[in-house]
Amino acid sequence: MSTIPKIVILGAGYGGILTAQRLQKELNYNEADVTLVNRHDYHYFTTHLHMPAAGTDSIDNTRVSISKLIDEFKIDLVKSNVQEIRLAEKKVVLQDGTLSYDYLVIALGGEPETFGIPGLAEHAMTIRSINSVRFIRQHIEYQFALYKADESRTECLNFVVGGAGFSGIEFVAELADRIPELCKEYDVDPNLVNIYNVEAAPTALPGFDPELVEYAMDVLKKKKVQFKIGVAIKECTADGVLLATGEEIKAATVVWTGGIRGNRLIEAAGFETARGRVKINDFLQAPEHDNVFIIGDNSLMFNEEGRPYPPTAQIAMQQGVVCAQNVVAAIRGKEFKKFVFSNKGTVASLGKGEAVASAFGKKYKGWIAAQLKKVVDMRYLFIIGGIGLVLKKGRFL
Ligand SMILES: Cc1cc2nc3c(=O)[nH]c(=O)nc-3n(C[C@H](O)[C@H](O)[C@H](O)COP(=O)(O)OP(=O)(O)OC[C@H]3O[C@@H](n4cnc5c(N)ncnc54)[C@H](O)[C@@H]3O)c2cc1C
């Protein structure tokens, strides 16, 4: 029987792909068996999903085949759905089989959090995957066709985006850019279209520099986005949303971007979680399971002020690198490396040629911030796929 340690990585998103690539680089021949499990055979750029969702970029610019990112002689790619993690047995149950592991890396990403708001789970759409954005894109376009078939259906031209955090703002901006095109194509008066961005917190882009928030809102208001800030969605129905103020917005399209939680499989595995996220140690290990590493949106880590790091691609990628190093260290009986987050800054795109950014201790807005966003995207493509991927998927203009 083989005594080679088995490493199983669950999820090929930002954290999982970086872990797999680093393991592939660091492990010697026959030092470990590595299996990467993902529900699709492609890796998608979650940070870019708002564009195909609104229809301002193609689905193909948002994903890449995993086999182009890893060496399948070194890593076994299993396309399947993870259904259960059995910690006591060191097994993972897939839709079509079972895998046993010595070391497990959980990088399954987050799920939308609806905070128990009635009707959101049933009636709102979420920007989470290629399939979900494909649906949103088709749905939006269909609303224009429906309206043209029956112009009394004005709810078809009302779009509600719940949440004005990063993904909400980025999506609203793309939608605002897309609407004029759709109006032209379907011969609809743009003045009849309403885009509402509803946020329960007292500000849009909570936690971001107030001057940049103001700039972002001004840009979006010029694109005719109507903000309802400090207003909670009380209920979502098949007809639209009911706000805490009592106002009802009739809308055939409600997209929820207002919250994210960890994957439910983690709670089901028996880990103690806070909104599905597990508090991991400095080495990215799960409590009481030294052989289980949890990274990305499923992990919970705190900064020096004791505040949790928000779940971002940036932290997931950095964790992926350290996670691979620590799995190799565990196999070799070497010392582990502490994870220390290095904040490279934050950029929020505001549609074509506009963005706000806070990086290198400075604030940026407008065209320059939009270029920064492209640099961030291209840097990621370069890290995972080299210059070839940058040339294929990068957006240069
Ligand atoms: C619209 C949007 C915009 C964003 N913009 C930014 C940004 O600008 N900057 C930033 O830093 N962060 C951004 N984020 C957050 C960022 O995308 C996440 O924090 C990051 O993707 C987390 O990485 P991860 O590796 O934990 O999970 P993910 O990248 O989500 O990967 C999880 C993987 O696991 C797979 N998977 C899930 N469940 C199963 C299962 N049961 N079986 C098999 N496979 C499964 C998924 O298909 C996916 O491939 C954005 C998020 C969204 C939604």
Side-chain angles (χ1 to χ4, degrees), residues 10-16 37-40 42 44 46-50 80-83 107-110 127-128 166-167 170 263 265 295-298 311-316 347 373:
L10 304 181
Y14 289 82
V37 185
N38 198 59
R39 70 159 54 115
H40 314 288
Y42 54 81
Y44 56 85
T46 317
T47 61
H48 189 75
L49 283 176
H50 54 284
S80 189
N81 254 306
V82 179
Q83 294 193 324
L108 288 167
I127 303 175
R128 274 318 299 164
F166 277 82
S167 35
E170 289 194 325
N263 196 296
L265 289 172
I295 58 173
D297 285 2
N298 293 143
T312 61
Q314 192 184 158
I315 197 168
V347 195
K373 174 87 181 170

mmCIF file of all heavy atoms in Angstrom, residues 10-16 37-40 42 44 46-50 80-83 107-110 127-128 166-167 170 263 265 295-298 311-316 347 373, ligand 1:
data_model
loop_
_atom_site.group_PDB
_atom_site.id
_atom_site.type_symbol
_atom_site.label_atom_id
_atom_site.label_comp_id
_atom_site.label_asym_id
_atom_site.label_seq_id
_atom_site.Cartn_x
_atom_site.Cartn_y
_atom_site.Cartn_z
ATOM 1 N N LEU A 10 -10.195 21.304 -1.726
ATOM 2 C CA LEU A 10 -11.605 21.462 -2.129
ATOM 3 C C LEU A 10 -11.825 22.888 -2.621
ATOM 4 O O LEU A 10 -11.694 23.838 -1.860
ATOM 5 C CB LEU A 10 -12.537 21.177 -0.947
ATOM 6 C CG LEU A 10 -12.374 19.816 -0.272
ATOM 7 C CD1 LEU A 10 -13.395 19.673 0.860
ATOM 8 C CD2 LEU A 10 -12.526 18.684 -1.274
ATOM 9 N N GLY A 11 -12.152 23.022 -3.890
ATOM 10 C CA GLY A 11 -12.418 24.338 -4.465
ATOM 11 C C GLY A 11 -11.226 24.848 -5.261
ATOM 12 O O GLY A 11 -10.091 24.811 -4.776
ATOM 13 N N ALA A 12 -11.480 25.276 -6.493
ATOM 14 C CA ALA A 12 -10.409 25.828 -7.341
ATOM 15 C C ALA A 12 -10.694 27.290 -7.644
ATOM 16 O O ALA A 12 -10.646 27.737 -8.789
ATOM 17 C CB ALA A 12 -10.274 25.016 -8.617
ATOM 18 N N GLY A 13 -11.036 28.041 -6.588
ATOM 19 C CA GLY A 13 -11.185 29.490 -6.725
ATOM 20 C C GLY A 13 -9.836 30.133 -6.440
ATOM 21 O O GLY A 13 -8.778 29.523 -6.656
ATOM 22 N N TYR A 14 -9.867 31.354 -5.929
ATOM 23 C CA TYR A 14 -8.622 32.103 -5.698
ATOM 24 C C TYR A 14 -7.690 31.368 -4.729
ATOM 25 O O TYR A 14 -6.504 31.224 -4.990
ATOM 26 C CB TYR A 14 -8.938 33.502 -5.164
ATOM 27 C CG TYR A 14 -9.546 34.363 -6.237
ATOM 28 C CD1 TYR A 14 -10.902 34.278 -6.545
ATOM 29 C CD2 TYR A 14 -8.769 35.239 -6.970
ATOM 30 C CE1 TYR A 14 -11.459 35.044 -7.549
ATOM 31 C CE2 TYR A 14 -9.317 36.010 -7.976
ATOM 32 C CZ TYR A 14 -10.668 35.909 -8.266
ATOM 33 O OH TYR A 14 -11.211 36.657 -9.273
ATOM 34 N N GLY A 15 -8.237 30.911 -3.612
ATOM 35 C CA GLY A 15 -7.393 30.238 -2.623
ATOM 36 C C GLY A 15 -6.939 28.876 -3.113
ATOM 37 O O GLY A 15 -5.751 28.529 -3.021
ATOM 38 N N GLY A 16 -7.871 28.095 -3.643
ATOM 39 C CA GLY A 16 -7.580 26.711 -4.036
ATOM 40 C C GLY A 16 -6.584 26.630 -5.180
ATOM 41 O O GLY A 16 -5.668 25.804 -5.165
ATOM 42 N N VAL A 37 -10.390 19.259 -6.190
ATOM 43 C CA VAL A 37 -11.798 18.994 -6.520
ATOM 44 C C VAL A 37 -12.505 20.322 -6.773
ATOM 45 O O VAL A 37 -12.406 21.249 -5.967
ATOM 46 C CB VAL A 37 -12.524 18.284 -5.345
ATOM 47 C CG1 VAL A 37 -13.954 17.908 -5.747
ATOM 48 C CG2 VAL A 37 -11.755 17.060 -4.883
ATOM 49 N N ASN A 38 -13.215 20.395 -7.873
ATOM 50 C CA ASN A 38 -13.992 21.605 -8.157
ATOM 51 C C ASN A 38 -15.246 21.206 -8.931
ATOM 52 O O ASN A 38 -15.211 20.278 -9.729
ATOM 53 C CB ASN A 38 -13.156 22.593 -8.979
ATOM 54 C CG ASN A 38 -13.717 24.002 -8.946
ATOM 55 O OD1 ASN A 38 -13.851 24.592 -7.872
ATOM 56 N ND2 ASN A 38 -14.063 24.541 -10.087
ATOM 57 N N ARG A 39 -16.327 21.968 -8.710
ATOM 58 C CA ARG A 39 -17.581 21.560 -9.357
ATOM 59 C C ARG A 39 -17.606 21.845 -10.858
ATOM 60 O O ARG A 39 -18.394 21.271 -11.571
ATOM 61 C CB ARG A 39 -18.791 22.143 -8.645
ATOM 62 C CG ARG A 39 -19.043 23.587 -8.743
ATOM 63 C CD ARG A 39 -20.519 23.903 -8.423
ATOM 64 N NE ARG A 39 -20.959 23.384 -7.145
ATOM 65 C CZ ARG A 39 -21.328 24.134 -6.105
ATOM 66 N NH1 ARG A 39 -21.278 25.447 -6.186
ATOM 67 N NH2 ARG A 39 -21.749 23.574 -5.005
ATOM 68 N N HIS A 40 -16.693 22.709 -11.310
ATOM 69 C CA HIS A 40 -16.590 22.961 -12.757
ATOM 70 C C HIS A 40 -15.164 22.639 -13.201
ATOM 71 O O HIS A 40 -14.257 22.644 -12.381
ATOM 72 C CB HIS A 40 -16.860 24.432 -13.075
ATOM 73 C CG HIS A 40 -18.049 24.992 -12.386
ATOM 74 N ND1 HIS A 40 -19.332 24.666 -12.733
ATOM 75 C CD2 HIS A 40 -18.165 25.844 -11.341
ATOM 76 C CE1 HIS A 40 -20.171 25.295 -11.949
ATOM 77 N NE2 HIS A 40 -19.497 26.015 -11.080
ATOM 78 N N TYR A 42 -13.530 24.649 -14.935
ATOM 79 C CA TYR A 42 -12.899 25.945 -15.152
ATOM 80 C C TYR A 42 -12.781 26.699 -13.826
ATOM 81 O O TYR A 42 -13.501 26.434 -12.864
ATOM 82 C CB TYR A 42 -13.703 26.772 -16.160
ATOM 83 C CG TYR A 42 -15.173 26.937 -15.801
ATOM 84 C CD1 TYR A 42 -15.577 27.890 -14.872
ATOM 85 C CD2 TYR A 42 -16.142 26.115 -16.378
ATOM 86 C CE1 TYR A 42 -16.907 28.032 -14.527
ATOM 87 C CE2 TYR A 42 -17.482 26.253 -16.045
ATOM 88 C CZ TYR A 42 -17.858 27.211 -15.118
ATOM 89 O OH TYR A 42 -19.178 27.336 -14.766
ATOM 90 N N TYR A 44 -13.045 30.520 -12.317
ATOM 91 C CA TYR A 44 -13.599 31.801 -12.748
ATOM 92 C C TYR A 44 -13.120 32.939 -11.854
ATOM 93 O O TYR A 44 -12.769 32.732 -10.700
ATOM 94 C CB TYR A 44 -15.131 31.769 -12.843
ATOM 95 C CG TYR A 44 -15.863 31.354 -11.591
ATOM 96 C CD1 TYR A 44 -16.171 32.279 -10.602
ATOM 97 C CD2 TYR A 44 -16.268 30.037 -11.412
ATOM 98 C CE1 TYR A 44 -16.863 31.905 -9.460
ATOM 99 C CE2 TYR A 44 -16.957 29.650 -10.271
ATOM 100 C CZ TYR A 44 -17.246 30.586 -9.303
ATOM 101 O OH TYR A 44 -17.919 30.212 -8.169
ATOM 102 N N THR A 46 -14.074 35.636 -9.872
ATOM 103 C CA THR A 46 -15.242 36.164 -9.159
ATOM 104 C C THR A 46 -15.247 37.692 -9.167
ATOM 105 O O THR A 46 -16.298 38.314 -9.291
ATOM 106 C CB THR A 46 -15.235 35.657 -7.704
ATOM 107 O OG1 THR A 46 -14.887 34.290 -7.725
ATOM 108 C CG2 THR A 46 -16.568 35.835 -7.040
ATOM 109 N N THR A 47 -14.043 38.270 -9.083
ATOM 110 C CA THR A 47 -13.950 39.729 -8.989
ATOM 111 C C THR A 47 -14.371 40.409 -10.302
ATOM 112 O O THR A 47 -14.466 41.627 -10.363
ATOM 113 C CB THR A 47 -12.514 40.160 -8.654
ATOM 114 O OG1 THR A 47 -11.662 39.707 -9.698
ATOM 115 C CG2 THR A 47 -12.038 39.568 -7.345
ATOM 116 N N HIS A 48 -14.600 39.623 -11.310
ATOM 117 C CA HIS A 48 -14.943 40.162 -12.633
ATOM 118 C C HIS A 48 -16.398 39.839 -13.006
ATOM 119 O O HIS A 48 -16.915 40.305 -14.016
ATOM 120 C CB HIS A 48 -13.975 39.503 -13.637
ATOM 121 C CG HIS A 48 -14.007 40.067 -15.000
ATOM 122 N ND1 HIS A 48 -13.446 41.279 -15.320
ATOM 123 C CD2 HIS A 48 -14.532 39.597 -16.154
ATOM 124 C CE1 HIS A 48 -13.632 41.510 -16.600
ATOM 125 N NE2 HIS A 48 -14.291 40.512 -17.135
ATOM 126 N N LEU A 49 -17.061 39.053 -12.137
ATOM 127 C CA LEU A 49 -18.390 38.523 -12.486
ATOM 128 C C LEU A 49 -19.444 39.602 -12.728
ATOM 129 O O LEU A 49 -20.418 39.374 -13.449
ATOM 130 C CB LEU A 49 -18.900 37.589 -11.372
ATOM 131 C CG LEU A 49 -18.310 36.176 -11.313
ATOM 132 C CD1 LEU A 49 -18.858 35.430 -10.100
ATOM 133 C CD2 LEU A 49 -18.607 35.389 -12.588
ATOM 134 N N HIS A 50 -19.264 40.778 -12.079
ATOM 135 C CA HIS A 50 -20.285 41.826 -12.248
ATOM 136 C C HIS A 50 -20.400 42.263 -13.707
ATOM 137 O O HIS A 50 -21.441 42.738 -14.130
ATOM 138 C CB HIS A 50 -19.966 43.020 -11.343
ATOM 139 C CG HIS A 50 -18.583 43.569 -11.533
ATOM 140 N ND1 HIS A 50 -17.457 42.956 -11.030
ATOM 141 C CD2 HIS A 50 -18.143 44.655 -12.190
ATOM 142 C CE1 HIS A 50 -16.384 43.647 -11.354
ATOM 143 N NE2 HIS A 50 -16.772 44.699 -12.070
ATOM 144 N N SER A 80 -16.236 17.542 -9.658
ATOM 145 C CA SER A 80 -17.365 16.968 -8.919
ATOM 146 C C SER A 80 -17.847 17.948 -7.862
ATOM 147 O O SER A 80 -17.177 18.919 -7.537
ATOM 148 C CB SER A 80 -16.928 15.654 -8.251
ATOM 149 O OG SER A 80 -18.043 14.994 -7.713
ATOM 150 N N ASN A 81 -19.005 17.646 -7.321
ATOM 151 C CA ASN A 81 -19.572 18.440 -6.238
ATOM 152 C C ASN A 81 -19.217 17.822 -4.900
ATOM 153 O O ASN A 81 -19.491 16.645 -4.684
ATOM 154 C CB ASN A 81 -21.092 18.420 -6.357
ATOM 155 C CG ASN A 81 -21.612 19.720 -6.867
ATOM 156 O OD1 ASN A 81 -21.313 20.778 -6.299
ATOM 157 N ND2 ASN A 81 -22.374 19.659 -7.937
ATOM 158 N N VAL A 82 -18.638 18.602 -4.030
ATOM 159 C CA VAL A 82 -18.388 18.095 -2.672
ATOM 160 C C VAL A 82 -19.725 18.069 -1.953
ATOM 161 O O VAL A 82 -20.472 19.052 -1.982
ATOM 162 C CB VAL A 82 -17.408 19.020 -1.908
ATOM 163 C CG1 VAL A 82 -17.181 18.501 -0.492
ATOM 164 C CG2 VAL A 82 -16.107 19.162 -2.660
ATOM 165 N N GLN A 83 -20.021 16.949 -1.306
ATOM 166 C CA GLN A 83 -21.309 16.871 -0.610
ATOM 167 C C GLN A 83 -21.176 16.821 0.905
ATOM 168 O O GLN A 83 -22.061 17.224 1.631
ATOM 169 C CB GLN A 83 -22.079 15.650 -1.110
ATOM 170 C CG GLN A 83 -22.446 15.844 -2.577
ATOM 171 C CD GLN A 83 -23.454 14.875 -3.076
ATOM 172 O OE1 GLN A 83 -23.439 13.720 -2.676
ATOM 173 N NE2 GLN A 83 -24.317 15.308 -3.960
ATOM 174 N N ALA A 107 -11.258 25.273 0.505
ATOM 175 C CA ALA A 107 -11.258 26.584 -0.176
ATOM 176 C C ALA A 107 -12.517 26.677 -1.032
ATOM 177 O O ALA A 107 -12.465 26.999 -2.213
ATOM 178 C CB ALA A 107 -9.999 26.718 -1.021
ATOM 179 N N LEU A 108 -13.645 26.383 -0.400
ATOM 180 C CA LEU A 108 -14.900 26.259 -1.158
ATOM 181 C C LEU A 108 -15.627 27.583 -1.412
ATOM 182 O O LEU A 108 -16.689 27.600 -2.029
ATOM 183 C CB LEU A 108 -15.853 25.303 -0.431
ATOM 184 C CG LEU A 108 -15.453 23.821 -0.501
ATOM 185 C CD1 LEU A 108 -16.261 23.004 0.496
ATOM 186 C CD2 LEU A 108 -15.630 23.266 -1.905
ATOM 187 N N GLY A 109 -15.057 28.673 -0.907
ATOM 188 C CA GLY A 109 -15.670 29.980 -1.176
ATOM 189 C C GLY A 109 -16.944 30.204 -0.365
ATOM 190 O O GLY A 109 -17.406 29.339 0.370
ATOM 191 N N GLY A 110 -17.495 31.396 -0.535
ATOM 192 C CA GLY A 110 -18.653 31.769 0.278
ATOM 193 C C GLY A 110 -19.980 31.513 -0.420
ATOM 194 O O GLY A 110 -20.034 31.020 -1.543
ATOM 195 N N ILE A 127 -24.887 37.185 -7.533
ATOM 196 C CA ILE A 127 -23.716 37.132 -8.425
ATOM 197 C C ILE A 127 -22.686 36.216 -7.771
ATOM 198 O O ILE A 127 -21.912 36.664 -6.926
ATOM 199 C CB ILE A 127 -23.127 38.558 -8.607
ATOM 200 C CG1 ILE A 127 -24.199 39.492 -9.149
ATOM 201 C CG2 ILE A 127 -21.908 38.544 -9.503
ATOM 202 C CD1 ILE A 127 -23.780 40.939 -9.248
ATOM 203 N N ARG A 128 -22.717 34.953 -8.087
ATOM 204 C CA ARG A 128 -21.835 34.031 -7.384
ATOM 205 C C ARG A 128 -20.995 33.145 -8.288
ATOM 206 O O ARG A 128 -19.949 32.663 -7.907
ATOM 207 C CB ARG A 128 -22.651 33.104 -6.445
ATOM 208 C CG ARG A 128 -22.926 33.650 -5.102
ATOM 209 C CD ARG A 128 -21.768 34.354 -4.448
ATOM 210 N NE ARG A 128 -20.565 33.564 -4.207
ATOM 211 C CZ ARG A 128 -19.366 34.082 -3.934
ATOM 212 N NH1 ARG A 128 -19.193 35.372 -3.891
ATOM 213 N NH2 ARG A 128 -18.321 33.303 -3.711
ATOM 214 N N PHE A 166 -18.869 46.514 -2.158
ATOM 215 C CA PHE A 166 -18.061 46.508 -3.385
ATOM 216 C C PHE A 166 -18.761 45.839 -4.553
ATOM 217 O O PHE A 166 -18.826 46.389 -5.648
ATOM 218 C CB PHE A 166 -16.701 45.846 -3.119
ATOM 219 C CG PHE A 166 -15.752 46.824 -2.531
ATOM 220 C CD1 PHE A 166 -15.770 47.106 -1.175
ATOM 221 C CD2 PHE A 166 -14.876 47.519 -3.337
ATOM 222 C CE1 PHE A 166 -14.931 48.048 -0.636
ATOM 223 C CE2 PHE A 166 -14.020 48.465 -2.810
ATOM 224 C CZ PHE A 166 -14.048 48.731 -1.457
ATOM 225 N N SER A 167 -19.301 44.630 -4.317
ATOM 226 C CA SER A 167 -19.892 43.944 -5.471
ATOM 227 C C SER A 167 -21.167 44.636 -5.930
ATOM 228 O O SER A 167 -21.439 44.701 -7.135
ATOM 229 C CB SER A 167 -20.110 42.449 -5.214
ATOM 230 O OG SER A 167 -20.462 42.204 -3.909
ATOM 231 N N GLU A 170 -20.118 47.790 -7.895
ATOM 232 C CA GLU A 170 -19.502 47.439 -9.188
ATOM 233 C C GLU A 170 -20.555 46.936 -10.176
ATOM 234 O O GLU A 170 -20.519 47.257 -11.358
ATOM 235 C CB GLU A 170 -18.407 46.388 -8.983
ATOM 236 C CG GLU A 170 -17.181 46.975 -8.272
ATOM 237 C CD GLU A 170 -15.957 46.077 -8.340
ATOM 238 O OE1 GLU A 170 -16.130 44.839 -8.301
ATOM 239 O OE2 GLU A 170 -14.831 46.598 -8.423
ATOM 240 N N ASN A 263 -19.306 28.636 3.386
ATOM 241 C CA ASN A 263 -20.006 27.510 2.770
ATOM 242 C C ASN A 263 -20.689 26.638 3.838
ATOM 243 O O ASN A 263 -20.083 26.320 4.862
ATOM 244 C CB ASN A 263 -18.968 26.680 2.004
ATOM 245 C CG ASN A 263 -19.592 25.743 1.030
ATOM 246 O OD1 ASN A 263 -20.305 24.835 1.421
ATOM 247 N ND2 ASN A 263 -19.324 25.957 -0.239
ATOM 248 N N LEU A 265 -21.296 23.600 3.941
ATOM 249 C CA LEU A 265 -20.680 22.284 4.164
ATOM 250 C C LEU A 265 -19.741 22.313 5.377
ATOM 251 O O LEU A 265 -19.499 21.295 6.015
ATOM 252 C CB LEU A 265 -19.872 21.867 2.936
ATOM 253 C CG LEU A 265 -20.665 21.480 1.690
ATOM 254 C CD1 LEU A 265 -19.739 21.281 0.517
ATOM 255 C CD2 LEU A 265 -21.465 20.214 1.956
ATOM 256 N N ILE A 295 -9.072 28.211 4.066
ATOM 257 C CA ILE A 295 -8.618 29.502 3.518
ATOM 258 C C ILE A 295 -9.748 30.193 2.750
ATOM 259 O O ILE A 295 -10.768 29.589 2.454
ATOM 260 C CB ILE A 295 -7.377 29.320 2.606
ATOM 261 C CG1 ILE A 295 -7.678 28.353 1.450
ATOM 262 C CG2 ILE A 295 -6.184 28.842 3.402
ATOM 263 C CD1 ILE A 295 -6.544 28.263 0.429
ATOM 264 N N GLY A 296 -9.510 31.455 2.446
ATOM 265 C CA GLY A 296 -10.469 32.216 1.644
ATOM 266 C C GLY A 296 -11.720 32.575 2.423
ATOM 267 O O GLY A 296 -11.689 32.767 3.646
ATOM 268 N N ASP A 297 -12.822 32.656 1.721
ATOM 269 C CA ASP A 297 -14.088 33.134 2.304
ATOM 270 C C ASP A 297 -14.593 32.265 3.465
ATOM 271 O O ASP A 297 -15.491 32.677 4.195
ATOM 272 C CB ASP A 297 -15.179 33.170 1.226
ATOM 273 C CG ASP A 297 -15.004 34.343 0.271
ATOM 274 O OD1 ASP A 297 -14.027 35.097 0.422
ATOM 275 O OD2 ASP A 297 -15.847 34.490 -0.631
ATOM 276 N N ASN A 298 -14.064 31.060 3.583
ATOM 277 C CA ASN A 298 -14.511 30.189 4.672
ATOM 278 C C ASN A 298 -13.724 30.376 5.953
ATOM 279 O O ASN A 298 -14.033 29.775 6.973
ATOM 280 C CB ASN A 298 -14.411 28.712 4.253
ATOM 281 C CG ASN A 298 -15.391 28.388 3.152
ATOM 282 O OD1 ASN A 298 -15.098 27.620 2.264
ATOM 283 N ND2 ASN A 298 -16.570 28.985 3.203
ATOM 284 N N PRO A 311 -13.745 39.124 3.626
ATOM 285 C CA PRO A 311 -13.389 38.071 2.671
ATOM 286 C C PRO A 311 -13.105 38.662 1.293
ATOM 287 O O PRO A 311 -13.994 39.233 0.673
ATOM 288 C CB PRO A 311 -14.643 37.177 2.643
ATOM 289 C CG PRO A 311 -15.749 38.033 3.162
ATOM 290 C CD PRO A 311 -15.161 39.142 3.964
ATOM 291 N N THR A 312 -11.872 38.556 0.848
ATOM 292 C CA THR A 312 -11.510 39.107 -0.472
ATOM 293 C C THR A 312 -10.635 38.106 -1.224
ATOM 294 O O THR A 312 -10.030 37.213 -0.631
ATOM 295 C CB THR A 312 -10.702 40.419 -0.338
ATOM 296 O OG1 THR A 312 -9.491 40.135 0.367
ATOM 297 C CG2 THR A 312 -11.471 41.510 0.369
ATOM 298 N N ALA A 313 -10.561 38.338 -2.524
ATOM 299 C CA ALA A 313 -9.695 37.505 -3.356
ATOM 300 C C ALA A 313 -8.246 37.697 -2.928
ATOM 301 O O ALA A 313 -7.438 36.766 -2.930
ATOM 302 C CB ALA A 313 -9.875 37.904 -4.812
ATOM 303 N N GLN A 314 -7.932 38.934 -2.556
ATOM 304 C CA GLN A 314 -6.568 39.269 -2.177
ATOM 305 C C GLN A 314 -6.070 38.406 -1.013
ATOM 306 O O GLN A 314 -4.987 37.819 -1.065
ATOM 307 C CB GLN A 314 -6.544 40.754 -1.789
ATOM 308 C CG GLN A 314 -5.182 41.310 -1.657
ATOM 309 C CD GLN A 314 -5.165 42.770 -1.187
ATOM 310 O OE1 GLN A 314 -4.162 43.198 -0.669
ATOM 311 N NE2 GLN A 314 -6.221 43.522 -1.352
ATOM 312 N N ILE A 315 -6.907 38.305 0.020
ATOM 313 C CA ILE A 315 -6.479 37.514 1.189
ATOM 314 C C ILE A 315 -6.494 36.018 0.844
ATOM 315 O O ILE A 315 -5.601 35.272 1.238
ATOM 316 C CB ILE A 315 -7.299 37.867 2.462
ATOM 317 C CG1 ILE A 315 -6.575 37.363 3.706
ATOM 318 C CG2 ILE A 315 -8.703 37.329 2.434
ATOM 319 C CD1 ILE A 315 -7.139 37.913 5.011
ATOM 320 N N ALA A 316 -7.479 35.590 0.056
ATOM 321 C CA ALA A 316 -7.565 34.163 -0.319
ATOM 322 C C ALA A 316 -6.303 33.730 -1.064
ATOM 323 O O ALA A 316 -5.742 32.660 -0.808
ATOM 324 C CB ALA A 316 -8.805 33.923 -1.179
ATOM 325 N N VAL A 347 -9.682 48.473 -4.765
ATOM 326 C CA VAL A 347 -10.174 49.219 -5.924
ATOM 327 C C VAL A 347 -11.613 48.812 -6.186
ATOM 328 O O VAL A 347 -11.932 47.619 -6.178
ATOM 329 C CB VAL A 347 -9.379 48.895 -7.214
ATOM 330 C CG1 VAL A 347 -9.675 49.937 -8.291
ATOM 331 C CG2 VAL A 347 -7.895 48.810 -6.968
ATOM 332 N N LYS A 373 -7.299 49.222 -11.486
ATOM 333 C CA LYS A 373 -8.154 48.021 -11.443
ATOM 334 C C LYS A 373 -7.680 47.018 -12.517
ATOM 335 O O LYS A 373 -7.588 45.817 -12.278
ATOM 336 C CB LYS A 373 -9.615 48.434 -11.684
ATOM 337 C CG LYS A 373 -10.592 47.284 -11.810
ATOM 338 C CD LYS A 373 -11.125 46.819 -10.476
ATOM 339 C CE LYS A 373 -12.083 45.665 -10.597
ATOM 340 N NZ LYS A 373 -12.423 45.063 -9.332
HETATM 341 C C1 LIG B 1 -19.182 40.341 -7.697
HETATM 342 C C2 LIG B 1 -17.989 40.179 -6.785
HETATM 343 C C3 LIG B 1 -16.938 41.090 -6.895
HETATM 344 C C4 LIG B 1 -15.822 40.940 -6.080
HETATM 345 N N1 LIG B 1 -14.787 41.836 -6.212
HETATM 346 C C5 LIG B 1 -13.669 41.666 -5.487
HETATM 347 C C6 LIG B 1 -12.544 42.527 -5.690
HETATM 348 O O1 LIG B 1 -12.583 43.449 -6.510
HETATM 349 N N2 LIG B 1 -11.419 42.292 -4.955
HETATM 350 C C7 LIG B 1 -11.343 41.270 -4.055
HETATM 351 O O2 LIG B 1 -10.270 41.089 -3.434
HETATM 352 N N3 LIG B 1 -12.388 40.449 -3.812
HETATM 353 C C8 LIG B 1 -13.548 40.615 -4.507
HETATM 354 N N4 LIG B 1 -14.618 39.781 -4.307
HETATM 355 C C9 LIG B 1 -14.524 38.719 -3.275
HETATM 356 C C10 LIG B 1 -13.729 37.531 -3.816
HETATM 357 O O3 LIG B 1 -14.232 37.139 -5.069
HETATM 358 C C11 LIG B 1 -13.789 36.342 -2.843
HETATM 359 O O4 LIG B 1 -13.381 36.783 -1.581
HETATM 360 C C12 LIG B 1 -12.875 35.212 -3.339
HETATM 361 O O5 LIG B 1 -13.411 34.672 -4.540
HETATM 362 C C13 LIG B 1 -12.749 34.111 -2.297
HETATM 363 O O6 LIG B 1 -11.893 33.114 -2.781
HETATM 364 P P1 LIG B 1 -12.114 31.613 -2.320
HETATM 365 O O7 LIG B 1 -10.926 30.856 -2.838
HETATM 366 O O8 LIG B 1 -12.411 31.531 -0.876
HETATM 367 O O9 LIG B 1 -13.441 31.122 -3.056
HETATM 368 P P2 LIG B 1 -13.917 31.230 -4.566
HETATM 369 O O10 LIG B 1 -13.001 32.055 -5.381
HETATM 370 O O11 LIG B 1 -15.348 31.591 -4.483
HETATM 371 O O12 LIG B 1 -13.778 29.721 -5.062
HETATM 372 C C14 LIG B 1 -14.531 28.653 -4.538
HETATM 373 C C15 LIG B 1 -14.519 27.514 -5.545
HETATM 374 O O13 LIG B 1 -15.115 26.365 -4.955
HETATM 375 C C16 LIG B 1 -16.055 25.787 -5.860
HETATM 376 N N5 LIG B 1 -17.083 25.123 -5.073
HETATM 377 C C17 LIG B 1 -17.961 25.686 -4.203
HETATM 378 N N6 LIG B 1 -18.734 24.749 -3.639
HETATM 379 C C18 LIG B 1 -18.339 23.560 -4.163
HETATM 380 C C19 LIG B 1 -18.744 22.216 -3.948
HETATM 381 N N7 LIG B 1 -19.713 21.899 -3.087
HETATM 382 N N8 LIG B 1 -18.120 21.246 -4.660
HETATM 383 C C20 LIG B 1 -17.113 21.549 -5.538
HETATM 384 N N9 LIG B 1 -16.687 22.792 -5.752
HETATM 385 C C21 LIG B 1 -17.290 23.803 -5.072
HETATM 386 C C22 LIG B 1 -16.584 26.987 -6.656
HETATM 387 O O14 LIG B 1 -17.120 26.574 -7.885
HETATM 388 C C23 LIG B 1 -15.307 27.812 -6.819
HETATM 389 O O15 LIG B 1 -14.577 27.400 -7.948
HETATM 390 C C24 LIG B 1 -15.759 39.898 -5.117
HETATM 391 C C25 LIG B 1 -16.825 38.990 -5.001
HETATM 392 C C26 LIG B 1 -17.936 39.135 -5.827
HETATM 393 C C27 LIG B 1 -19.061 38.142 -5.689
#
